Amino acid sequence: MKRSRFVKGFLTSFLTGIGAAAISACSRQSEPEGDAPAAGEPGANAATAAEEAAEIAVTGPWKVALAAGFSPFVKVQAEGRLEGFDVDLITAIGAALGVTLQLELLPFDSLLPTLQAGRAEVALGAIPITPERAESVNFSQPYFDAGVAIAIATSRTDIADLQDLQDQQVAVVLDTAGAQLALDISGSTLQTFETDRQALEAVSTRKADAALVTLPAVLDAIAAEQISGIKRVGDRLTREQYGIAVPKSSDDRLAAINLTLERLKSNGTYADLYEKWFGPSSLAQ
C-alpha cells in the first residue's frame, strides 16, 4: 500500500471522534503557521497525533508468524483455519491500516528467529515481553496482562489467596512460575502436569484442591465452559505482559501498530474481542 493512501486512510479513522481534521504532511507545509493550534489550545494534541502518524509509512502485505497451543490466543480448527484472540487482534490491526495479512503457523520457539531472519514482518502468539527477548526484536505496547492465578472448585469457599493453600493438594505445570510459587507454600503437596488444562481438570475432578496456572488458561476454561466446576479466586500472583513482536529495523511498523492498538482500545474494539474470548467478568483482570 502506498504511503499517501495509508496516511489518508489511517489519519481519517484515527482522528474520528476526537474532533480534529486529518492533516497530511503536504498540507502542513503549505498552511500558514498561525492556523495551527498552539500548545495547550483545543486541537493541539490531535494535531500532534496527526503529525506523528503522518510520518509512518506502512507497506504490505505483512507475513504474520503465529504460534498455536496457548488457547485462546491462537487455535487451529480441524480444517486448518486459525482463530483466537491474537488472530482477531492482528486482523483488526491489519484492517485498520489497510494492510493485507498472510498468516503462517510456526512453533513458538521459531517466532523470533523468523523475524530476525526477515521471513516475517510481525509475530505474536502470547509472547511474554522480557528484557532478553527485547534484545533481539522490538515489542509493541503490552496488549494483554497475564500471570499466575488460583483456580479452585466452585463449591469451595475456604480458599481466597495463596496463604490458604497451606496443607492443600496443589496442581501445577512443571517448570512454570506457578510451580515455583507452590514450592514455597508450607505443607502443600504438589501434583505436576504437562499442561494448564490437565491441572485445571484435576481441580474439576477433585483430585486437587487448587491449581496455580496462567490466568488466560483459567479465563478461557471458564468462558468457553471447557472445564466445569471451577472458578478463579484472588488477585494475580505474578505479572506477565504479552506484546506484538517486529524486527529491530521496523520502527515505522511498530509505531503504526501502537497507534492502532490505542485506537482499538479507545473505540471499544479491544474490549469486544476480550469479552468474546475471555468473558465479560474478566475485563478488569
Side-chain angles (χ1 to χ4, degrees):
M1 183 174 68
K2 294 183 179 179
R3 174 188 174 90
S4 59
R5 180 182 171 191
F6 163 73
V7 172
K8 180 179 178 182
F10 180 78
L11 292 184
T12 298
S13 57
F14 181 74
L15 295 177
T16 298
I18 60 176
I23 304 173
S24 69
C26 178
S27 64
R28 284 200 310 277
Q29 292 174 356
S30 62
E31 291 176 353
E33 291 182 4
D35 289 347
E41 292 182 359
N45 291 337
T48 300
E51 290 168 1
E52 293 174 353
E55 298 304 319
I56 299 171
V58 176
T59 58
W62 287 356
K63 293 182 180 179
V64 180
L66 294 158
F70 195 11
S71 180
F73 292 92
V74 182
K75 300 191 290 186
V76 184
Q77 297 305 306
E79 65 277 17
R81 180 174 57 86
L82 299 178
E83 68 172 26
F85 179 78
D86 280 5
V87 177
D88 284 355
L89 182 63
I90 196 62
T91 299
I93 291 173
L97 294 173
V99 175
T100 301
L101 305 179
Q102 299 174 352
L103 307 184
E104 181 180 5
L105 191 65
L106 295 174
F108 183 85
D109 58 5
S110 296
L111 292 181
L112 302 193
T114 296
L115 286 181
Q116 291 177 281
R119 294 194 298 270
E121 282 71 42
V122 179
L124 68 167
I127 306 175
I129 301 172
T130 66
E132 293 75 21
R133 292 190 175 107
E135 291 180 358
S136 60
V137 299
N138 285 336
F139 282 101
S140 70
Q141 61 174 270
Y143 69 86
F144 195 94
D145 289 332
V148 176
I150 303 173
I152 63 173
T154 53
S155 59
R156 297 288 294 263
T157 59
D158 57 329
I159 297 176
D161 53 35
L162 203 61
Q163 289 68 36
D164 294 331
L165 296 183
Q166 294 184 21
D167 302 319
Q168 303 288 327
Q169 297 278 337
V170 182
V172 298
V173 177
L174 285 170
D175 298 321
T176 63
Q180 187 60 47
L181 286 172
L183 289 173
D184 296 328
I185 301 173
S186 176
S188 66
T189 301
L190 270 61
Q191 296 185 16
T192 59
F193 298 90
E194 294 184 357
T195 66
D196 287 341
R197 183 183 180 90
Q198 291 173 344
L200 292 171
E201 287 174 343
V203 174
S204 175
T205 57
R206 307 300 191 273
K207 295 178 181 178
D209 297 300
L212 292 180
V213 295
T214 59
L215 173 62
V218 179
L219 298 181
D220 181 42
I222 295 173
E225 298 181 347
Q226 297 174 340
I227 301 174
S228 62
I230 63 171
K231 63 182 178 182
R232 171 199 171 191
V233 295
D235 298 326
R236 273 178 295 172
L237 304 175
T238 63
R239 184 172 292 272
E240 189 175 59
Q241 294 181 311
Y242 300 155
I244 299 171
V246 300
K248 280 288 187 182
S249 59
S250 304
D251 291 343
D252 289 346
R253 190 179 309 124
L254 184 64
I257 289 172
N258 281 331
L259 279 169
T260 308
L261 279 172
E262 289 293 341
R263 177 187 165 210
L264 297 180
K265 290 176 180 179
S266 64
N267 68 16
T269 300
Y270 179 91
D272 290 341
L273 295 180
Y274 195 108
E275 182 172 347
K276 172 184 176 181
W277 293 104
F278 299 103
S281 63
S282 61
L283 283 173
Q285 301 240 356

